[in-house]
Amino acid sequence: MTDRKPVHLAVYDTLADWETGHATAHLARAGYRIRTVGPSTDPVTSIGGLRIQPDTALDDVRPEDSSLLILPGAGLWDTGDDLGPFARKARAFLDAGVPVAAICGATAGLAREGLLDDRDHTSAVSFYLAATGYAGGERYVETDAVTDANLVTAGPTEPVAFAREILRLLEVYEGEVLDAWYRLFHDSDAAAYAVLEKAGAA
């Protein structure tokens, strides 16, 4: 597990704290190093007031050195182009065949970048993305989370489904174990714990 490339988690002011915790916690448990990526290495502050010191700056991140780029939501996605460089970095990742996972406002950033025009995707609601003027409305799917090739998307109320798709994409859990993981954390299904324990995933 030590030879796995790290997962890069984007961090920026107003980021939504609650959206990526399930994914990063279970990726870390599976042996992935989580590296935070900011606009620079200056500290950022989440919407919940958490002060985060990025491990590295966005300009220094290369797709070939990463297993995945995770883009959380943030108020800044909807107030200008401050986070546009993160959407452009997502394009570089996808062009290189490296997965990207975007949730909440980050999906609007990808829509503005044209990355959802030709891929199945979801978000908070369809009209939220339609307001970006993107051309991918016909590919919008009304569901909790969507994976199309190397791109995962989800809305802000679905952090567990978002994590499920990431864990599936990186083959951390599969089949019955992945289903049990989702039932435990999304539905509080205590019976699912026994499946995870048997698989050594509890």
Side-chain angles (χ1 to χ4, degrees):
M1 289 192 291
T2 56
D3 61 346
R4 286 177 169 168
K5 295 177 182 179
V7 167
H8 287 91
L9 171 66
V11 296
Y12 21 70
D13 286 333
T14 74
L15 78 89
D17 316 66
W18 64 92
E19 292 176 342
T20 61
H22 285 90
T24 55
H26 289 273
L27 288 171
R29 287 189 65 186
Y32 286 94
R33 288 177 295 124
I34 309 300
R35 301 276 295 168
T36 53
V37 182
S40 69
T41 54
D42 293 337
V44 299
T45 304
S46 75
I47 198 170
L50 297 179
R51 184 177 168 86
I52 303 166
Q53 180 77 54
D55 294 314
T56 190
L58 183 65
D59 286 347
D60 296 328
V61 174
R62 304 185 307 166
E64 58 266 35
D65 298 327
S66 184
S67 290
L68 170 71
L69 175 63
I70 302 177
L71 300 174
L76 287 179
W77 283 112
D78 297 320
T79 58
D81 193 47
D82 287 355
L83 300 184
F86 285 90
R88 292 188 281 278
K89 184 66 73 170
R91 177 181 291 281
F93 267 63
L94 292 170
D95 286 349
V98 181
V100 172
I103 186 169
C104 188
T107 61
L110 297 192
R112 293 185 192 97
E113 183 64 18
L115 295 174
L116 304 185
D117 291 350
D118 301 311
R119 295 176 172 92
D120 290 344
H121 59 275
T122 193
S123 183
V125 287
S126 60
F127 57 79
Y128 170 64
L129 291 187
T132 68
Y134 84 131
E138 292 185 356
R139 302 294 295 268
Y140 188 89
V141 182
E142 293 282 358
T143 191
D144 54 7
V146 171
T147 300
D148 187 331
N150 280 332
L151 179 63
V152 174
T153 52
T157 60
E158 298 294 345
V160 180
F162 183 60
R164 178 196 66 209
E165 295 304 299
I166 290 170
L167 297 174
R168 187 202 319 271
L169 185 62
L170 295 187
E171 299 181 345
V172 173
Y173 303 135
E174 299 177 285
E176 181 185 28
V177 175
L178 182 65
D179 177 67
W181 181 90
Y182 181 74
R183 287 188 290 112
L184 178 63
F185 287 98
H186 187 267
D187 303 326
S188 300
D189 182 355
Y193 184 81
V195 178
L196 296 177
E197 189 174 39
K198 183 178 179 181

